[in-house]
Amino acid sequence: MKKGEATKSRIVDEAVRQAALRGLAGVSLSDVAEAVGLSKSGLFKHFESKEDMHRAVVEAALDHFRETVWAPAAALPPGRARVEEVFRRWLHWGETRWSASGCPIMALSVELDDQPGPLKDYLQQRLQRFRTNVTNEIRLLRDPPLADAEAQAAYFQMKSFILGHADARRMMGDTDAERSAAAAFEALLERTSKVAA
C-alpha cells in the first residue's frame, strides 16, 4: 500500500471510530486530523469534501462488517452452517471490534434513516444485499426450501435478537444477554427447520 493510501486508510478508520461513538454529524475533522498526525488542510488532500469523507466512512464500516461477519460464513456449506456462523459473528461484532461504541452500522442506520439522499441510499443498498444473502441461506434450512415470506420473517427475528442483545448488553448491563440471544436463535432454527406435517 502506498503512503497516501495508507494515510487515507488511517483517516477513514479514525473517522469510523468517531462516527460509531458520536454519529457522522459528530465527526470532528480537527480530532480526526490530530489522531492521525495531520493538519486539517492535510486531511482534505485525501477527500474532495466532508461529504466525500462521510461516504468513505459508511463504505469502510460496511466493508469491515462484511469481512468480519459474512465472508467467513460464506466459506462454509450453504444453509444452516452459514446462518449459524453469521449469527455468531454478528452477535460478537459490536462487542469485540467496537466495544467502546457498539455497532457502527447500527449507529449509522439510526442517524441516516430519516435523512434522504445518496448516503442513506448507499447504506440501504448494502444492507439490503446482506439481508438478501442471509435470507437465501435461511431458505435452505429446510428441504424443500422455505418460502420467501417465511425466510424473510426468520431473518427479521434473527436481526431482532442481535438488536435486542445490543440493547440488553450495552444499555441494560445484562451479563446474560448473549445466552438469551443464542437460546432464542437456536429455537428459531429448530422451528424453521421443521417440515410441517
Side-chain angles (χ1 to χ4, degrees):
M1 186 182 285
K2 295 178 182 175
K3 184 179 178 184
E5 292 172 348
T7 301
K8 184 173 182 176
S9 180
R10 284 190 3 255
I11 293 167
V12 171
D13 284 348
E14 174 59 24
V16 171
R17 187 189 71 76
Q18 287 193 27
L21 283 166
R22 309 173 187 166
L24 274 176
V27 173
S28 161
L29 299 182
S30 298
D31 289 350
V32 172
E34 184 179 342
V36 297
L38 291 173
S39 65
K40 243 172 119 174
S41 59
L43 187 144
F44 275 112
K45 288 180 183 175
H46 299 276
F47 300 96
E48 293 178 12
S49 63
K50 189 171 183 178
E51 291 74 25
D52 184 37
M53 188 175 78
H54 283 177
R55 166 70 183 232
V57 166
V58 174
E59 188 173 343
L62 289 161
D63 287 348
H64 289 317
F65 180 74
R66 185 191 67 232
E67 290 159 14
T68 304
V69 176
W70 174 253
L76 296 174
R80 186 162 183 148
R82 286 185 186 171
V83 174
E84 287 178 331
E85 187 67 4
V86 164
F87 184 80
R88 186 182 70 78
R89 289 179 167 275
W90 196 358
L91 196 65
H92 293 131
W93 151 262
E95 296 298 312
T96 52
R97 185 177 182 115
W98 309 99
S99 59
S101 61
C103 174
I105 309 297
M106 195 182 305
L108 290 167
S109 295
V110 169
E111 183 175 5
L112 295 175
D113 68 355
D114 58 356
Q115 295 184 30
L119 209 51
K120 176 187 175 179
D121 293 344
Y122 177 72
L123 176 61
Q124 191 175 58
Q125 178 187 57
R126 290 280 302 267
L127 292 177
Q128 177 61 51
R129 192 180 314 154
F130 174 74
R131 181 171 70 176
T132 298
N133 287 339
V134 178
T135 302
N136 286 340
E137 297 302 326
I138 290 172
R139 291 185 75 243
L140 301 177
L141 290 173
R142 215 162 60 205
D143 186 18
L146 275 75
D148 288 342
E150 287 181 278
Q152 289 169 17
Y155 175 84
F156 181 89
Q157 292 173 71
M158 177 180 174
K159 185 169 183 178
S160 297
F161 302 151
I162 298 290
L163 298 176
H165 169 264
D167 176 71
R169 181 80 182 91
R170 299 189 65 80
M171 184 66 193
M172 306 308 294
D174 182 354
T175 57
D176 204 30
E178 183 176 339
R179 187 201 60 75
S180 298
F185 179 63
E186 185 62 29
L188 171 65
L189 288 180
E190 290 307 311
R191 286 193 311 273
T192 307
S193 299
K194 285 181 182 173
V195 178

